[in-house]
Amino acid sequence: MQADDAAILDQAEAWRREGRGVAVATVIETWGSAPRPPGSRVVIDADGHFLGSVSGGCVEGEVVSAAADVIASGVPCLLSFGVADETAWRVGLSCGGRISVHVERVD
Amino acid sequence: MHLDLLSALNAARAARRACVLVTPLDGAGQRLVAAEEIAHDPLAAELAAALGERRSTVVEAQGRRIFLGVELPPPRLLLVGAVHISQALAPMAAAAGFDVTVLDPRTAFATAERFGAVPVIAEWPDVALPAYGLDPFTAVAALTHDPRIDEPALAAALRAQCFYIGALGSRRTHAQRLERLEKAGIGPALSARIHAPIGMAIGALSPAEIAVAVLAEVIAARRLPAAQPKAPQERSRAAANT
């Protein structure tokens, strides 16, 4: 069954209680035609397992890799994605929108 | 995010309480504010606006950028009537993210075999609904064609301000229904919120097609609240403004 934004936070809590390192990534701002609205989330564990989405699949890979750093350091970070990025060929939103994603560790 | 805060957020959702997760983007001070505590909060105006628009947003306050994450209870759909349309609609609505429950006091209809994993309550609305707990994050579709079952559910849904209320039946059937509801104390200001005939106008004929039309209307009520049916006095005011 596909997890909705609400149910994935239950998974994040369950993972943390199992002792796994867990990060929560949340879309906080969008500009233009963005695939997922503010409040959309991905939860990620230290092994790179993840649930949910912050885009149509365009930038989740980058978010998961940033989450590994956040889980290791405990320092939250803010990621920005858009077609105008220098990273456009690697990750970017083909829809033309821009999004900002906040990544934080569950302590 | 502290694990205790995550637990509190999950508990609020399970208890169907709206709240806002306040996250300062420059670091410390993350907290959860319950909807009923907003008035006493330093960010009262910003929190009320975000919750009112049901939209998570970044605000600037006290020289800080702060993310307000609006956390609403998951949407539910109550299908009154364990009928053929409900059998088609239940799995579609579940796939679209609704917690679906079927209610029908007729035990020949209300069987688990007809609905798989979807919970079925074989009870009268007046008996079952207090425990089910209708709220503004619940949609209700009355599909039995039987006024003794549909109308108590519709009356309860209107009083609970459910975000979508629809009823199967022709315009003539609905006119008679409105007369009976008025006698039961539900006036036109409330009953104007009922979508009837039910479902978006897509020419649906089969039970599955009607299910698509109803689900589309439920989604529109959730995502386009401004486009919903208005009470008669609001409608004339809107007309006077155009």
Side-chain angles (χ1 to χ4, degrees):
Chain A
M1 160 116 198
Q2 185 190 333
D4 61 31
D5 280 336
I8 65 171
L9 288 183
D10 284 327
Q11 188 62 61
E13 184 179 345
W15 279 347
R16 187 71 200 103
R17 291 193 187 286
E18 284 171 19
R20 300 197 209 181
V22 178
V24 177
T26 309
V27 176
I28 61 163
E29 285 181 293
T30 67
W31 297 266
S33 161
R36 301 277 285 132
S40 305
R41 291 193 183 95
V42 175
V43 302
I44 308 104
D45 78 358
D47 295 327
H49 297 113
F50 71 97
L51 284 174
S53 66
V54 291
S55 75
C58 318
V59 305
E60 274 74 3
E62 196 78 355
V63 170
V64 168
S65 88
D69 296 339
V70 170
I71 291 170
S73 71
V75 180
C77 74
L78 208 52
L79 307 171
S80 293
F81 300 99
V83 285
D85 273 4
E86 60 196 24
T87 59
W89 290 106
R90 198 152 52 94
V91 293
L93 299 170
S94 50
C95 52
R98 286 194 294 138
I99 63 172
S100 187
V101 178
H102 181 253
V103 188
E104 62 191 315
R105 186 171 75 179
V106 179
D107 289 315
Chain B
M1 184 187 305
H2 200 277
L3 181 57
D4 290 344
L5 197 60
L6 179 58
S7 292
L9 181 53
N10 285 334
R13 198 178 60 250
R16 302 191 64 74
R17 291 193 311 264
C19 53
V20 181
L21 181 64
V22 178
T23 306
L25 295 175
D26 58 4
Q30 192 174 45
R31 61 203 174 86
L32 192 64
V33 183
E36 57 274 16
E37 295 165 357
I38 281 178
H40 310 292
D41 196 274
L43 294 174
E46 291 87 348
L47 291 168
L51 195 62
E53 292 172 20
R54 301 189 172 190
R55 190 187 298 270
S56 298
T57 186
V58 173
V59 297
E60 311 252 349
Q62 295 136 11
R64 306 176 81 184
R65 297 185 76 233
I66 301 171
F67 177 63
L68 305 181
V70 175
E71 307 289 343
L72 301 176
R76 295 186 298 181
L77 173 61
L78 177 69
L79 301 176
V80 179
V83 297
H84 200 173
I85 295 170
S86 299
Q87 286 179 284
L89 181 48
M92 286 181 198
F98 292 89
D99 286 341
V100 183
T101 299
V102 177
L103 173 68
D104 197 323
R106 301 168 299 181
T107 48
F109 285 86
T111 64
E113 297 83 72
R114 286 164 58 81
F115 289 91
V118 172
V120 178
I121 306 173
E123 260 306 347
W124 289 89
D126 287 342
V127 175
L129 290 182
Y132 175 80
L134 293 168
D135 62 32
F137 307 100
T138 303
V140 175
L143 302 169
T144 70
H145 272 135
D146 183 338
R148 292 170 305 163
I149 304 170
D150 284 348
E151 284 168 22
L154 290 170
L158 289 165
R159 291 194 185 99
Q161 298 182 288
C162 291
F163 75 88
Y164 170 89
I165 303 164
L168 196 67
S170 65
R171 283 175 211 289
R172 187 158 153 266
T173 303
H174 187 56
Q176 293 164 347
R177 175 188 294 138
L178 292 181
E179 284 174 21
R180 284 189 301 268
L181 283 172
E182 182 142 27
K183 282 181 190 139
I186 306 281
L190 267 184
S191 61
R193 289 201 55 232
I194 301 174
H195 291 258
I198 199 169
M200 203 165 270
I202 56 171
L205 279 179
S206 73
E209 289 171 356
I210 295 168
V212 170
V214 173
L215 183 56
E217 205 169 54
V218 171
I219 292 169
R222 181 167 177 230
R223 301 301 192 189
L224 304 170
Q228 296 312 299
K230 304 272 193 302
Q233 60 269 36
E234 287 180 62
R235 213 169 347 191
S236 56
R237 209 181 306 136
N241 289 339
T242 52

